[in-house]
Amino acid sequence: FNRPEQRDGFVQAFRRRESLEATMTLRLGGLDPATRYEVTNFDMPGTTVANGRKLMQEGLTVEIKDQPGSAVITYRVAK
């Protein structure tokens, strides 16, 4: 869920009961490749910083241990 006007957004990921994969890499879209983003996973302490190019090309790795389970990750322009 990208909000280009606000230069932020969030990712909502789900792991189904039948899923064998606990980790998945998701490529984000619509970011500015030259901008640094602060990324916060609500299930983990702290934040990380990555540039838009990396988030769009290499992706954001999300781990969901619970089956079923979910994760919410926010991103915004880093200060």
Side-chain angles (χ1 to χ4, degrees), residues 10-65:
F10 70 95
V11 174
Q12 187 175 20
F14 297 94
R15 181 177 183 196
R16 297 183 185 271
R17 182 177 315 276
E18 302 81 20
S19 175
L20 301 176
E21 302 295 326
T23 304
M24 182 171 276
T25 300
L26 309 171
R27 285 190 225 148
L28 305 186
L31 305 181
D32 179 351
T35 297
R36 294 178 49 211
Y37 291 90
E38 182 179 286
V39 180
T40 305
N41 183 333
F42 288 178
D43 295 323
M44 302 183 77
T47 61
T48 59
V49 176
N51 68 40
R53 177 172 280 105
K54 180 176 180 178
L55 292 169
M56 291 190 297
Q57 292 178 355
E58 297 177 26
L60 172 69
T61 300
V62 179
E63 180 179 23
I64 303 173
K65 294 179 182 179

